[in-house]
Amino acid sequence: MSFNLLDHHVYHSAPQRAVISAWTQHIPFGMLLIDLLRPRLVVELGTHMGASYCAFCQAVTELGLGTRCVAVDCWEGDPQAGKYGPEVLEDLQAHHDPRYGDFSTLMRSSFDDAVSAFADGSIDLLHIDGLHAYEAVKHDLETWLPKMSSRGVIILHDIAERQPTFGVWRLWDELKQTYPHHLEFEHGHGLGLVAVGENAPEGLQSVFDLPPDQWSALRDLMRDLGASFDEQVVRVEELHQNQAQLRNVQEVIEHERHIATQKITHLNEVIQQAHGQVAAQAITLDAQQRELAETQRRLDNALWQLDWLNRSRGVRMVKLARASRALLRQRGAGQLAKRAALWAVGKRGYYRLDSAAALPVPKQARPIMREYKQVMFLSGCPGGAMRYRCDHQAEQLNLLGCSAESEAIATVNLMELLDRFQCFVLHRVPFDSDVHAFMTEARARGKALFFETDDLVFVPGNAKHQAELERFSPRDRALYIDEMGRIRQTLHLCDAVTVSTDPLREWIEPLCSRVAVTPNVASREMVARSQMALAAHSALPGAVAGDGASGGVVIAYFSGSPSHDRDFLEAQDALLWALETYPQTRFLLVGPLKLSEQFERFGERVRHEPVRPWQALPALYADVAINLAPLERDNPFTEAKSSIKYLEAALLKVPTIASPRNDFTRVMRHGENGLLADSPDAWREALRQLIESPEERRRMGERAYEEVMAQQTTTSQAPLVYDVMRSHFRAVKPSRDQRRLRVNWVVDAPDAAAGARMETTETSGTMRLASALARQGHTVRVVIAAPAADVIPPTWQAEAAPAEIVIGYDAAPVADASVATSAATSRIVADHHESLFRFYLVTDATAGGTSEPDGALPLRRICLAPGATQSAEGMEYEAARLSQLLLEHCW
């Protein structure tokens, strides 16, 4: 069989036993050896603090092997290691016994006394690391050699040490002459491996058979990774020493604090005795403060009701009318028409007349301790990746009534989230002790755990394909690769995975059976800001679609991060040719790209802007004629990239020339909504075509804009994300499919004519439907948006039974589902932070145009058949169908 390092990921696992040892640099190879050999019995002679032995045991645990391990040592020291007391063994036992005690034994014995405890031919792996004098190590070898199996392997440490008291190198030279299959490492004082059995395992034989150059590369990798582990252990030990010093300082501080406390206590007693009247006044002040707190609570409640009223549809329409009249009077009918077009694309339907006119008015958040939601996206990679993969997907779920939010994992207390969310999506989160504790507790509480990634950052062997690592120091590169391994650990522990592209899905399928693709899309705020930038650009004097306002044809490349140097080379020669051939062209570079000196000759025609916040990008795109999206060829990392650069440019009607990587070919059709180029000649021809033809630029930009607006926004793709998340969740938690729900049934408050109004078909039918839904087995609470109970008609209790009536929307309890039964109550349900899912019930009464427009509020619409609720039979049928709809949508 051939050797493939990617099949043996255990070698880059960080050692759990962090002690300073001469063996630390060999830990990666030691763990790899366990994977290659898969021994039945491992024996180590000379364990000391257990760096090597615990690495063997850790590998056995991570690989799930049935291996038995034995460490033989007196734990008293020797002339070379020095003498030590029982604390060394006690420290090792504290680490070893809880983790490995079920298959591993720490045998306190001399080597000669212990040999009789093992049958001949029983040991597959023997590690000799005792006294290193030539006579001593040769005696150990000859004594234990009969115990080796037919597939036995012996490893010797310190084969590179040639001090007068060390003789392992002499024995190693003899063994190399006797046994043809051996491996040798010179770093970390030297390590030698020799196969003494006649049947070497296939995995190890594949390493023996490696060509010299491949063996040299493997040995160098083991050396570099071992050196990184050694540095980490040294840093941990220094941290422990610093902590010990800190504890000493803290003890001194605590002593001084105790003395100071005694003095303060005495002083307080004197003050209490001298100021008796102050205590009485304090009691009076406390009562006043309680009264003030109660007054403040009432004021807050009134302000909350006022705020809700202020955000109601009627008040917003009044504000919109006033703002329109003011704008018409101040700026004329033309500006009013443009502003009206901008108002139409927002979330609330009303916008301020300031500089943020085209942006949604932010909603006042409820206190976070009351939030109770379905999905929490936790990102280990804040920035653009978190925005597209967490913020946007949370927005998509919210648009269909599934409550979700997103946070950077470093900014939250993980354990506090477990009571408030049902499902957690971990976006590129590296594994560590806190994440492990969180995931363990989440599973214990029955929560669902999903993994999410938008880049190929979970395969350490592919790190060489990331151009950004070329700028890293060896130490930072090793840390980054280690983080990739820890991200992979998190992936292994999750129930399902979502990714942004098909190539990522293909990489993950061998690691997780449940994986789905949810492409990157534009958020509603991105669309609003792009519309605002388009309007501003079109208002400029002489503005022409597809041309820069400053004149000429602006070609742009938005780098975003330092990882695109090699990508840009795909288009560099063609771009230089275009600047040389067409004097009207200009080049705009945004981001930390290292630009070639060849561009200097074009002077001011080349403009290099620093990285900008994403909110500022639409204004830059609006002045661009051609957008470039090159990606390196034959690179699995770039092949897995998504088509974000095309998406962002299309929102501004800017055509893109892109490399034909997987996700770009998914959304782009050559010559229709953009151009694809994969060679210098193809890039040159694409630039020529768009530079020479403004009509082609306009046509492709318009087509890209139409398709993105129709197919690649959070609004249009929300059902896909919703269905994927629901499918994953139900595959993990199938028992929830038939559960009974807690339902808040939110109805209008009655007016002064409530008695007469009660008899109307609308109100009576709504209450009877809630009653019928409760008879389906659900816990239904009819929430009435009224400030006081004395205005509730007494007949409502009978109409609603067996449902419970709750007075006041602010008292609406935690629910699996909250249902708005009218346009007036839709805002209440949309703002209810304690509902996992939110719905708007469309009936005969609400279907006549009074309901909120689609997409205006984060509610899923559910419909009843026209006229079905007129009879008792129709009511029961619709209640049963409504029950099935709620169970279908509440996952």
Side-chain angles (χ1 to χ4, degrees):
M1 62 179 292
S2 60
F3 176 75
N4 186 351
L5 188 58
L6 293 179
D7 296 335
H8 308 283
H9 65 272
V10 71
Y11 75 93
H12 61 70
S13 296
Q16 296 178 3
R17 178 67 170 162
V19 293
I20 294 179
S21 168
W23 219 90
T24 303
Q25 295 188 30
H26 298 295
I27 285 178
F29 177 74
M31 300 181 78
L32 175 62
L33 179 60
I34 294 296
D35 197 2
L36 294 172
L37 188 57
R38 297 188 172 257
R40 294 161 298 183
L41 175 61
V42 176
V43 177
E44 182 177 84
L45 305 181
T47 299
H48 197 187
M49 301 179 71
S52 58
Y53 185 72
C54 288
F56 296 150
C57 293
Q58 181 181 339
V60 169
T61 301
E62 293 189 10
L63 293 169
L65 304 179
T67 304
R68 188 166 66 90
C69 301
V70 180
V72 181
D73 202 321
C74 292
W75 279 285
E76 296 174 354
D78 56 42
Q80 290 175 336
K83 295 294 183 178
Y84 49 81
E87 68 279 359
V88 172
L89 178 57
E90 292 170 357
D91 180 70
L92 175 59
Q93 288 174 326
H95 174 85
H96 168 276
D97 292 353
R99 293 173 173 82
Y100 316 123
D102 57 339
F103 66 88
S104 172
T105 302
L106 301 179
M107 180 183 292
R108 192 167 188 178
S109 169
S110 68
F111 299 169
D112 289 347
D113 291 340
V115 71
S116 61
F118 299 87
D120 289 348
S122 62
I123 300 175
D124 289 337
L125 176 61
L126 177 66
H127 177 211
I128 302 177
D129 196 16
L131 185 62
H132 290 330
Y134 173 77
E135 293 76 14
V137 70
K138 184 173 183 179
H139 171 76
D140 293 340
L141 176 69
E142 294 173 348
T143 302
W144 287 81
L145 192 58
K147 306 300 178 180
M148 301 304 297
S149 70
S150 61
R151 53 200 301 270
V153 172
I154 296 177
I155 53 177
L156 302 171
H157 189 224
D158 289 324
I159 66 171
E161 287 293 340
R162 294 179 178 264
Q163 300 178 35
T165 59
F166 282 69
V168 183
W169 63 272
R170 289 177 54 193
L171 179 61
W172 176 245
D173 286 344
E174 296 171 6
L175 289 175
K176 288 193 294 184
Q177 301 301 320
T178 305
Y179 299 98
H181 290 126
H182 56 268
L183 300 174
E184 183 174 355
F185 297 88
E186 296 178 356
H187 67 279
H189 306 281
L191 185 73
L193 178 149
V194 59
V196 299
E198 62 271 19
N199 299 320
E202 287 186 2
L204 186 59
Q205 185 63 46
S206 66
V207 177
F208 287 141
D209 295 338
L210 285 176
D213 57 335
Q214 294 184 23
W215 162 243
S216 177
L218 176 62
R219 184 174 55 191
D220 292 345
L221 176 62
M222 294 297 105
R223 178 196 63 206
D224 294 343
L225 190 55
S228 174
F229 284 173
D230 197 35
E231 291 177 5
Q232 294 178 30
V233 169
V234 170
R235 287 198 298 271
V236 170
E237 184 62 24
E238 291 174 352
L239 179 61
H240 288 167
Q241 294 176 359
N242 293 338
Q243 288 176 338
Q245 295 176 358
L246 180 61
R247 283 194 295 270
N248 293 336
V249 173
Q250 288 175 335
E251 289 176 359
V252 174
I253 294 174
E254 192 63 32
H255 176 69
E256 296 294 333
R257 182 183 297 167
H258 178 68
I259 296 176
T261 301
Q262 290 180 331
K263 293 181 179 179
I264 292 173
T265 301
H266 175 69
L267 182 60
N268 285 337
E269 291 174 355
V270 173
I271 293 174
Q272 272 187 327
Q273 293 172 1
H275 298 86
Q277 283 186 330
V278 174
Q281 293 176 356
I283 295 174
T284 303
L285 180 60
D286 183 65
Q288 292 174 346
Q289 288 177 335
R290 286 197 299 271
E291 183 178 354
L292 179 61
E294 176 62 17
T295 302
Q296 183 65 45
R297 188 192 66 79
R298 293 177 180 176
L299 176 60
D300 289 343
N301 186 51
L303 289 175
W304 171 258
Q305 296 183 34
L306 179 62
D307 179 65
W308 175 82
L309 178 63
N310 192 47
R311 289 183 283 112
S312 68
R313 184 181 180 86
V315 173
R316 285 188 290 118
M317 292 300 101
V318 172
K319 288 184 176 181
L320 182 60
R322 290 176 178 173
S324 299
R325 285 197 298 270
L327 186 61
L328 177 63
R329 184 171 56 253
Q330 297 168 8
R331 302 183 188 177
Q335 288 297 322
L336 176 59
K338 289 184 179 180
R339 188 58 55 85
L342 297 179
W343 283 334
V345 299
K347 299 177 181 177
R348 308 292 186 193
Y350 167 73
Y351 300 95
R352 298 191 182 99
L353 293 178
D354 55 16
S355 60
L359 301 180
V361 175
K363 180 179 68 175
Q364 296 296 323
R366 298 278 286 276
I368 191 168
M369 68 285 298
R370 294 187 61 185
E371 292 181 355
Y372 181 71
K373 298 186 177 182
Q374 181 70 8
V375 182
M376 167 59 91
F377 290 85
L378 294 170
S379 178
C381 185
M386 174 181 170
R387 180 164 60 90
Y388 271 99
R389 301 310 297 168
C390 297
D391 298 348
H392 289 192
Q393 293 199 85
E395 179 177 295
Q396 289 171 282
L397 292 176
N398 278 308
L399 285 171
L400 292 181
C402 175
S403 56
E405 64 179 74
S406 65
E407 292 287 349
I409 195 169
T411 65
V412 297
N413 184 321
L414 291 174
M415 292 304 181
E416 291 181 357
L417 302 177
L418 289 171
D419 289 330
R420 300 193 292 109
F421 294 89
Q422 303 304 304
C423 174
F424 296 91
V425 181
L426 306 181
H427 168 245
R428 293 171 62 165
V429 173
F431 187 81
D432 59 23
S433 57
D434 291 339
V435 173
H436 181 248
F438 166 72
M439 297 181 76
T440 301
E441 183 62 21
R443 290 197 182 284
R445 299 196 192 187
K447 309 295 184 178
L449 295 171
F450 302 157
F451 182 81
E452 159 62 51
T453 184
D454 55 334
D455 264 330
L456 191 57
V457 293
F458 50 87
V459 182
N462 280 338
K464 62 180 179 292
H465 296 296
Q466 297 192 37
E468 187 174 7
L469 295 188
E470 295 175 356
R471 303 187 180 196
F472 285 17
S473 66
R475 174 179 174 275
D476 290 341
R477 189 179 300 114
L479 291 175
Y480 184 87
I481 294 174
D482 174 69
E483 182 174 289
M484 293 176 73
R486 293 191 291 117
I487 291 176
R488 186 187 183 96
Q489 284 182 274
T490 303
L491 187 159
H492 275 298
L493 294 176
C494 288
D495 304 308
V497 181
T498 57
V499 294
S500 56
T501 65
D502 281 323
L504 286 174
R505 175 182 56 78
E506 292 171 1
W507 277 98
I508 286 185
E509 281 178 337
L511 308 177
C512 180
S513 59
R514 291 190 205 90
V515 55
V517 178
T518 56
N520 281 327
V521 293
S523 67
R524 295 203 293 178
E525 184 174 355
M526 287 176 64
V527 172
R529 290 184 180 275
S530 298
Q531 295 290 329
M532 188 175 176
L534 280 174
H537 181 265
S538 63
L540 295 174
V544 178
D547 285 336
S550 56
V553 177
V554 179
I555 306 170
Y557 179 66
F558 290 75
S559 175
S561 72
S563 63
H564 298 293
D565 286 355
R566 297 205 304 244
D567 294 333
F568 183 69
L569 295 179
E570 295 286 316
Q572 176 176 281
D573 290 343
L575 179 58
L576 289 168
W577 169 84
L579 291 171
E580 189 73 45
T581 306
Y582 301 98
Q584 75 271 30
T585 57
R586 301 173 183 272
F587 177 50
L588 170 63
L589 171 62
V590 180
L593 187 74
K594 186 177 181 181
L595 202 59
S596 169
E597 295 178 355
Q598 300 179 70
F599 287 90
E600 294 179 359
R601 69 179 186 271
F602 299 107
E604 294 182 353
R605 290 173 60 196
V606 175
R607 184 168 61 131
H608 193 170
E609 295 286 342
V611 173
R612 299 290 185 85
W614 70 269
Q615 295 90 339
L617 294 183
L620 291 175
Y621 271 115
D623 199 41
V624 170
I626 303 170
N627 176 53
L628 303 181
L631 286 170
E632 185 181 10
R633 284 172 285 178
D634 303 322
N635 184 328
F637 182 76
T638 56
E639 188 66 35
K641 282 287 190 180
S642 66
S643 54
I644 290 175
K645 284 184 171 61
Y646 161 79
L647 184 73
E648 294 174 343
L651 289 174
L652 278 300
K653 303 183 180 180
V654 178
T656 294
I657 306 174
S659 298
R661 306 298 165 251
N662 182 277
D663 202 52
F664 283 92
T665 58
R666 176 183 65 85
V667 297
M668 293 178 65
R669 298 179 308 284
H670 183 73
E672 295 185 31
N673 61 351
L675 295 175
L676 298 170
D678 204 26
S679 69
D681 290 342
W683 276 98
R684 183 177 299 188
E685 174 58 25
L687 283 170
R688 184 202 62 76
Q689 181 178 346
L690 292 184
I691 292 171
E692 293 182 357
S693 176
E695 179 59 28
E696 284 291 286
R697 296 201 299 269
R698 185 199 62 75
R699 181 182 64 81
M700 292 185 191
E702 289 281 356
R703 187 63 176 268
Y705 171 80
E706 292 169 0
E707 292 185 1
V708 166
M709 292 296 292
Q711 304 169 15
Q712 298 174 60
T713 64
T714 52
T715 302
S716 62
Q717 288 293 317
L720 171 63
V721 174
Y722 188 95
D723 291 343
V724 165
M725 289 293 180
R726 177 175 61 182
S727 174
H728 281 345
F729 191 89
R730 288 187 170 173
V732 174
K733 306 292 179 186
S735 60
R736 294 174 58 90
D737 289 347
Q738 301 302 321
R739 71 194 190 284
R740 294 306 173 190
L741 302 175
R742 296 165 296 175
V743 181
N744 287 340
W745 191 265
V746 186
V747 301
D748 288 335
D751 54 21
R757 182 168 169 254
M758 175 61 208
E759 301 303 325
T760 66
T761 301
E762 175 186 351
T763 307
S764 178
T766 299
M767 300 298 284
R768 288 165 54 210
L769 186 58
S771 175
L773 187 63
R775 288 194 293 273
Q776 294 290 324
H778 303 291
T779 300
V780 180
R781 301 180 180 91
V782 178
V783 181
I784 302 173
D790 55 4
V791 299
I792 303 303
T795 55
W796 279 29
Q797 290 284 358
E799 286 283 342
E804 173 190 354
I805 289 185
V806 177
I807 308 300
Y809 67 85
D810 199 37
V814 168
D816 295 305
S818 287
V819 182
T821 60
S822 66
T825 59
S826 61
R827 172 65 62 184
I828 297 172
V829 172
D831 289 346
H832 190 245
H833 288 249
E834 293 78 49
S835 298
L836 297 187
F837 295 87
R838 309 181 183 104
F839 301 91
Y840 179 67
L841 180 66
V842 181
T843 63
D844 294 349
T846 61
T850 60
S851 61
E852 291 283 351
D854 288 345
L857 289 174
L859 304 173
R860 178 180 279 274
R861 272 58 174 169
I862 49 179
C863 303
L864 297 184
T869 58
Q870 297 300 318
S871 64
E873 295 79 4
M875 183 69 68
E876 292 299 328
Y877 172 80
E878 286 302 316
R881 193 169 67 87
L882 179 59
S883 173
Q884 290 300 316
L885 286 173
L886 292 178
L887 286 170
E888 171 68 17
H889 294 309
C890 294
W891 38 277

